[in-house]
Amino acid sequence: MTGTPEHPVSSPLLHSRDVAAYLKVSESTLSRWRAAGTGPPFIRMSGIARYRIDAVDAWLIELEHEHASQG
């Protein structure tokens, strides 16, 4: 099984509570971001959101670039 450079298969899947802790936000904030489509990319598995840490880090880098270009 192979992945893409943005989402390698070897990147572990994390539970939303782990990602919320990683981002230092509440789980409810992460849930609101999911609903609004503004948070980090996620995978829905049988109704449960899971995140690849590499995708979360890429999302953070993208946010940094957006804020830097607005300044």
Side-chain angles (χ1 to χ4, degrees):
M1 184 184 257
T2 61
T4 64
E6 302 86 37
H7 303 286
V9 172
S10 61
S11 180
L13 290 174
L14 300 177
H15 189 279
S16 59
R17 72 176 162 264
D18 300 321
V19 174
Y22 181 68
L23 296 174
K24 307 246 187 298
V25 299
S26 68
E27 285 187 70
S28 62
T29 294
L30 192 58
S31 178
R32 280 195 310 276
W33 289 350
R34 270 196 313 271
T38 59
F42 66 96
I43 299 165
R44 191 161 302 277
M45 297 171 45
S46 299
I48 301 169
R50 293 287 186 252
Y51 297 82
R52 290 197 185 277
I53 191 65
D54 290 346
V56 173
D57 286 338
W59 174 77
L60 288 170
I61 290 168
E62 185 179 315
L63 283 180
E64 286 178 335
H65 290 214
E66 287 174 13
H67 290 287
S69 66
Q70 292 174 3

